Amino acid sequence: MNHQYHPLGFTGSRLAQGYWRLAEWGMSDQELVRFIEQSIEAGITTVDHADIYGDYQCETLFGKALALKPELRDKLQIITKCGILLPSANRPEISSQRYDQSTGHIIQSVDQSLKNLQVESLEMLLLHRPSPLMDPDHIAEAFEHLYTVGKVKHFGVSNFSAQQFDLLQSRLDMPLLVNQVELSPIELKHFKDGTLEHAQQHAVTPMAWSPFAGGDLFKLDGIDPTLHHAIANVAEAHQASFDQIALAWLLRHPSGIVPVLGSGKIERAQAAQQALSISLSDDEWFAIWVASQGHPVP
Ligand SMILES: NC(=O)c1ccc[n+]([C@@H]2O[C@H](COP(=O)([O-])OP(=O)(O)OC[C@H]3O[C@@H](n4cnc5c(N)ncnc54)[C@H](OP(=O)(O)O)[C@@H]3O)[C@@H](O)[C@H]2O)c1
């Protein structure tokens, strides 16, 4: 395991559970309570939300479940995001799909998320995507306010380049602790663009969204056969499953990547947690890297 930095800079779990697809899972409130409980039992206590997930409905579904068993709240670290506007029947006041990172919008969005989730505060707020109109002073004003009134304990970003991260950080008193970006054995872009080196240099935790490439990793038409074979070979050598090796591959990176799981099936989360005890050799790690790149290292 990679413990160079404490994951997430607070007592977050080594794997996080994402709730982007929650509205598709078709769970009753009680089934969702059980899913949250079993995730906690498995050791996955960090949960990842966003205001817009499920057409602005996922936070509310989660909040309803949490209200049925309030004692679960203190066992969770709740992350949510803001900064994207989506036209929706649930938000009739929004007229176009764009970004809004104004001070007023960030504060108002957090107030709404707290109401939806039925909690008093968030462990972490992430700006969902960088905006070409990002004014770091306006964001800093919102973050300082939310921190001061106790509504948000920690802050981070998502899909930010190292430069965008540094620009925002330069206006903040508090450290940005997370950059959540797309990382998987299929999606190598952020392994090569300086994002992970920047994270290591500044003790920022990279969180990996879509660690299984949104499920493409498991589809014959979603993955290159060479990469499939490479992962399957390592899985066989470790007597582990394909998904566990994909996670072990991310976990092996020295930046301390925290994968954000996306399945609503508890047995998949439980299997994922077992990946924490799988340690890939450098030979195995590079076999997957080379297969994904499609050529040997230079
Ligand atoms: N910050 C951002 O911009 C951003 C963007 C996207 C996502 N996210 C976060 O990242 C989280 C994860 O993203 P994701 O849902 O795309 O993750 P993912 O794990 O890459 O993809 C989930 C999909 O893979 C399938 N799957 C998972 N494990 C499987 C297995 N062992 N065998 C077969 N299929 C499997 C799931 O199907 P089943 O449900 O049937 O298991 C689901 O359809 C989201 O919930 C969200 O919190 C953040």
Side-chain angles (χ1 to χ4, degrees):
M1 281 203 279
N2 311 303
H3 281 312
Q4 190 172 354
Y5 310 122
H6 195 281
L8 300 179
F10 65 98
T11 47
S13 52
R14 193 70 184 82
L15 301 177
Q17 177 63 50
Y19 283 91
W20 173 32
R21 302 174 193 266
L22 169 57
E24 298 163 25
W25 296 344
M27 289 180 183
S28 66
D29 294 344
Q30 280 298 350
E31 285 167 338
L32 180 54
V33 170
R34 191 67 198 122
F35 181 81
I36 299 168
E37 272 178 336
Q38 287 179 306
S39 300
I40 294 169
E41 284 158 20
I44 303 169
T45 55
T46 300
V47 298
D48 185 70
H49 283 275
D51 56 346
I52 58 170
Y53 285 172
D55 201 17
Y56 292 95
Q57 291 304 294
C58 290
E59 287 180 337
T60 303
L61 292 171
F62 192 88
K64 272 194 205 159
L66 211 49
L68 291 176
K69 206 147 195 201
E71 61 269 35
L72 295 181
R73 179 8 181 159
D74 287 345
K75 298 180 177 163
L76 297 171
Q77 301 82 45
I78 301 181
I79 299 178
T80 197
K81 316 185 193 75
C82 69
I84 302 178
L85 301 184
L86 285 184
S88 159
N90 297 314
R91 289 290 185 283
E93 69 281 10
I94 297 174
S95 55
S96 64
Q97 181 167 334
R98 63 177 177 86
Y99 301 135
D100 188 346
Q101 299 178 346
S102 61
T103 310
H105 176 72
I106 294 171
I107 292 172
Q108 177 264 320
S109 183
V110 167
D111 282 338
Q112 186 63 51
S113 290
L114 293 175
K115 213 167 131 191
N116 296 343
L117 292 160
Q118 305 197 39
V119 297
E120 300 289 313
S121 65
L122 302 168
E123 274 67 35
M124 181 159 313
L125 176 71
L126 307 182
L127 271 189
H128 206 150
R129 285 192 176 269
S131 167
L133 289 181
M134 171 165 87
D135 184 327
D137 292 313
H138 294 170
I139 298 167
E141 199 181 328
F143 282 11
E144 301 288 347
H145 170 80
L146 291 166
Y147 179 78
T148 307
V149 299
K151 290 180 180 172
V152 180
K153 297 190 172 81
H154 304 282
F155 297 85
V157 292
S158 181
N159 303 300
F160 270 46
S161 70
Q163 250 178 331
Q164 289 159 340
F165 188 105
D166 286 344
L167 170 61
L168 179 56
Q169 183 64 79
S170 72
R171 303 301 204 279
L172 293 172
D173 288 334
M174 74 278 280
L176 293 169
L177 295 182
V178 159
N179 190 7
Q180 187 179 121
V181 294
E182 186 178 12
L183 296 164
S184 74
I186 289 182
E187 182 52 73
L188 302 184
K189 186 172 66 186
H190 297 302
F191 285 92
K192 299 190 259 187
D193 68 0
T195 301
L196 295 180
E197 288 82 357
H198 177 269
Q200 276 179 275
Q201 186 178 353
H202 298 282
V204 171
T205 296
M207 295 181 78
W209 61 259
S210 294
F212 301 140
D216 279 357
L217 211 62
F218 308 106
K219 296 178 191 150
L220 284 179
D221 59 350
I223 183 171
D224 184 276
T226 315
L227 176 57
H228 181 91
H229 284 309
I231 298 175
N233 282 343
V234 178
E236 199 182 340
H238 283 266
Q239 295 185 310
S241 58
F242 193 86
D243 50 327
Q244 288 172 328
I245 295 304
L247 289 173
W249 187 82
L250 290 172
L251 293 164
R252 170 70 180 77
H253 195 272
S255 61
I257 294 168
V258 172
V260 188
L261 307 174
S263 174
K265 300 190 170 85
I266 194 62
E267 60 276 15
R268 290 188 171 162
Q270 289 160 341
Q273 186 70 4
Q274 302 301 315
L276 298 184
S277 52
I278 300 171
S279 183
L280 298 195
S281 69
D282 288 7
D283 274 341
E284 291 168 331
W285 196 89
F286 274 101
I288 293 171
W289 173 264
V290 165
S292 181
Q293 295 241 80
H295 55 78
V297 296

